[in-house]
Amino acid sequence: MTHSSMRLRRGAVTAVAAGMLLVPLAGGAAFAQGTAVPGVSAATDPPVAPGTVRELTPAVAKQLDEAVQRVMTEAKVPGVSVGLWTPDKGQYVRAFGVADKATGQKMSTDLYTRIGSETKTFTVTALLQLVDQGKVGLDDPIGKYVTGVPNGDKITLRQLAEMRSGLFNYSADEGFYKALTTNPDKPFTPQQLLDYAFKHPVLFAPGAQFSYCNTNLILLGLVVEKQSGQTLADFVQEHVLTPAGMHKTLFPKGAEFPEPHAQGYTMQTASGKVEDSADWNPSWGWAAGAMISTLDDLRIWAPTVATGVFPDGKPMVGAATQKERIDTIKTTIPGAGYGLGIFRVQGWTGHNGSLPGYESLTIYLPEAKATLVVVLNTDTDYKGAEPSTVFGEAITKIASPGNVFNLPAQAAAR
């Protein structure tokens, strides 16, 4: 979440395309610090302690309805679906607006959506499973597995996962942006993506600072494939999605997009005008941002990735490995830390995603065992913030005022 998933947006390099924590073009999340949520103020009666969620009564649901619709209007979001689930305070599941502006098809809670940088949480899970199997080590240099990486003898797998490699983000390369927006149906190979990154000098010494970067995840995806002997998509399906019971989540091989799905609206286009991106090929995001899911499947994923335990109680990754994943390091974003492909923001653990036309936010509040998922069909920023963040802040100001989700905006990776 913190950095956008995979956004491609021209100019910024912080968050990233495809998976987003922000990723313009594929991203993830960008947050504008101090972003004003339209007409929303934190609920105060009765007081809600940190780590808890307000009882989701009809009156609170009405406040949430009004807040979500207000953000939609102000940020000009065509459609959004929201799910907030708790074990003891009720649940709130709603869809607003339209999935298709041309036909007027209503947004609904059962639609497939592109999840951008949330893909990173699956790729890193696959890597951590290989760590548990002794097939890779987090402190191994990437050069042990992939040749031709600048500083490859020094950059570790851990530094790639925690966004401290110093490598250039391929989605911030001007040539890449032009190639993608000129022909969004074009398939990209992982090596082509790396070539865009590696023609740039490294930004800093490995481990010196935090910089959200899609290039890191492409490399980790290649490591998973090499050490498992499976494609990344097959490994994730067999070892993550199937045991988690996530039957409507997939790693597409091309531009396929299961029905029903919302159309996606983006201004990250060659013309600079709003276009429908539903059929764009997400291969450019690959291990950093190409996956597809649904509101209900992301509901399963939020606690699963945050705890490292599958819904049936079996470990997804070992306890010690999971502890390393969520041992977040402070970032330049106030109140936000980033671990191994996951962030913690004001007590919420998870990730956000942004790909042209789509954004998502999947977070978990451990103390309350509460899950919040937001999916929407535009990636156009509102007052410098990703709309998924604005929705997250508006919802948590009402439902969990002791833990208000807000991610200050970083320049999204182009």
Side-chain angles (χ1 to χ4, degrees):
M1 310 212 96
T2 194
H3 293 119
S4 237
S5 295
M6 283 218 83
R7 262 179 182 199
L8 272 176
R9 250 160 233 162
R10 223 180 257 267
V13 174
T14 55
V16 193
M20 303 233 138
L21 253 180
L22 242 189
V23 164
L25 268 203
F31 307 81
Q33 189 167 5
T35 298
V37 176
V40 176
S41 57
T44 54
D45 287 340
V48 178
T52 61
V53 172
R54 189 179 300 281
E55 191 82 35
L56 299 177
T57 63
V60 171
K62 183 173 184 293
Q63 291 179 55
L64 291 170
D65 286 348
E66 292 171 350
V68 171
Q69 291 174 302
R70 195 174 295 118
V71 171
M72 284 186 69
T73 299
E74 295 280 339
K76 297 180 172 57
V77 173
V80 61
S81 293
V82 176
L84 175 59
W85 298 269
T86 73
D88 55 356
K89 301 293 181 63
Q91 64 181 41
Y92 172 86
V93 183
R94 297 278 199 279
F96 303 90
V98 297
D100 188 332
K101 294 194 291 186
T103 66
Q105 174 194 348
K106 298 295 185 184
M107 195 73 170
S108 60
T109 58
D110 62 345
L111 302 181
Y112 286 90
T113 189
R114 298 196 186 279
I115 62 171
S117 288
E118 290 200 44
T119 302
K120 293 177 172 66
T121 60
F122 295 91
T123 299
V124 172
T125 294
L127 177 75
L128 296 181
Q129 289 181 336
L130 294 176
V131 169
D132 286 338
Q133 295 170 24
K135 294 183 178 179
V136 300
L138 283 173
D139 296 313
D140 290 345
I142 183 60
K144 179 178 179 179
Y145 306 102
V146 181
T147 60
V149 181
N151 274 350
D153 59 335
K154 300 181 180 66
I155 297 170
T156 66
L157 305 188
R158 183 190 304 276
Q159 289 165 340
L160 292 169
E162 65 188 13
M163 302 296 177
R164 292 173 181 271
S165 70
L167 294 173
F168 186 86
N169 184 7
Y170 69 84
S171 53
D173 177 80
E174 290 292 338
F176 169 74
Y177 183 88
K178 183 176 181 180
L180 178 62
T181 56
T182 300
N183 182 11
D185 298 329
K186 172 184 170 63
F188 288 87
T189 66
Q191 187 58 53
Q192 287 173 328
L193 300 175
L194 294 179
D195 288 345
Y196 282 112
F198 295 168
K199 67 182 182 181
H200 296 270
V202 296
L203 305 178
F204 50 82
Q209 62 189 73
F210 174 88
S211 180
Y212 194 83
C213 176
N214 290 320
T215 306
N216 297 345
L217 273 292
I218 302 304
L219 290 168
L220 293 180
L222 291 174
V223 172
V224 171
E225 292 197 331
K226 182 173 184 177
Q227 297 307 107
S228 70
Q230 293 181 273
T231 66
L232 179 60
D234 286 347
F235 187 94
V236 169
Q237 181 65 58
E238 180 180 347
H239 300 283
V240 183
L241 301 177
T242 297
M246 297 174 66
H247 304 304
K248 291 188 175 182
T249 301
L250 66 148
F251 216 126
K253 292 181 172 61
E256 68 268 23
F257 200 169
E259 296 283 357
H261 64 253
Q263 303 307 111
Y265 301 97
T266 184
M267 292 183 70
Q268 294 194 77
T269 59
S271 67
K273 296 178 181 178
V274 175
E275 294 180 14
D276 182 347
S277 60
D279 297 326
W280 287 16
N281 191 323
S283 61
W284 67 271
W286 192 50
M291 289 180 70
I292 293 167
S293 191
T294 64
L295 192 77
D296 278 344
D297 266 19
L298 293 176
R299 173 192 180 181
I300 295 171
W301 186 236
T304 301
V305 70
T307 64
V309 178
F310 285 123
D312 64 2
K314 294 179 181 177
M316 181 170 70
V317 300
T321 309
Q322 178 67 14
K323 184 176 184 299
E324 292 200 65
R325 185 212 300 258
I326 61 173
D327 183 15
T328 57
I329 300 173
K330 288 183 179 180
T331 68
T332 54
I333 302 169
Y338 200 84
L340 302 178
I342 200 165
F343 66 83
R344 186 174 295 170
V345 178
Q346 307 301 344
W348 291 91
T349 299
H351 214 285
N352 58 345
S354 177
L355 207 66
Y358 300 91
E359 287 202 349
S360 61
L361 176 64
T362 299
I363 52 178
Y364 183 71
L365 189 61
E367 298 86 349
K369 296 183 178 179
T371 292
L372 173 62
V373 179
V374 180
V375 298
L376 56 148
N377 61 345
T378 182
D379 65 320
T380 301
D381 284 355
Y382 172 71
K383 292 186 176 179
E386 291 196 336
S388 61
T389 297
V390 183
F391 281 115
E393 185 172 356
I395 292 163
T396 55
K397 276 189 173 181
I398 293 167
S400 60
N403 301 89
V404 176
F405 178 87
N406 62 351
L407 265 180
Q410 299 276 308
R414 307 171 178 237

